[in-house]
Amino acid sequence: QVQPVESGGGLVQAGGSLRLSCAVPGRDYSMYVTGWFRQAPGKEREFVASITWRGGSTYYANSVEGRFTISRDNAKNTVYLQMNSLKPEDTAVYYCAAEAGRLIASKEEYKYWGQGTQVTVSS
């Protein structure tokens, strides 16, 4: 059973930075894509970024492109989300999702989800 585990959330002022980590223990080496989603209170869960384990191809939501960077460490089975120039509207619970069959995938296509980590950006 694959169970992503997120860490690194917290409280930061607008303009600040945070780095989230997603450990994917037991990752099958055939696993293709892992991604980050976020959900703000009263809103639907939305896509943030995704990455392929082989090759490291990436894809970003328009709202975060240029500010966030997704990366992976294959040896550690870990995906990172570096978040810079944070805005209050980035406040949400951030979820790591593992195993989708393509880089640009809806949340319904991901098989495994972490419990989430809270990111709060104060103005």
Side-chain angles (χ1 to χ4, degrees), residues 28-120:
D28 188 301
Y29 283 92
S30 67
M31 187 175 290
Y32 185 51
V33 170
T34 290
W36 287 96
F37 289 75
R38 65 186 182 186
Q39 188 166 18
K43 294 189 176 181
E44 291 206 0
R45 193 169 299 188
E46 65 175 8
F47 171 79
V48 176
S50 58
I51 189 167
T52 61
W53 287 98
R54 284 173 283 174
S57 296
T58 59
Y59 180 66
Y60 295 93
N62 289 339
S63 58
V64 306
E65 189 155 22
R67 300 188 298 123
F68 291 10
T69 302
I70 189 170
S71 61
R72 89 277 189 240
D73 185 328
N74 289 45
K76 295 182 178 179
N77 289 343
T78 300
V79 170
Y80 303 98
L81 186 68
Q82 178 67 44
M83 305 185 295
N84 298 329
S85 302
L86 282 161
K87 305 174 181 180
E89 50 263 44
D90 294 317
T91 295
V93 177
Y94 282 70
Y95 295 92
C96 178
E99 191 49 0
R102 52 183 182 153
L103 185 60
I104 304 174
S106 67
K107 57 183 181 293
E108 289 79 12
E109 296 178 63
Y110 282 85
K111 291 183 180 179
Y112 309 108
W113 290 84
Q115 296 299 308
T117 185
Q118 177 70 47
V119 171
T120 303

Side-chain angles (χ1 to χ4, degrees), residues 3-19:
Q3 179 60 58
V5 179
E6 305 97 336
S7 61
L11 173 64
V12 65
Q13 287 190 330
S17 298
L18 281 175
R19 188 177 82 155

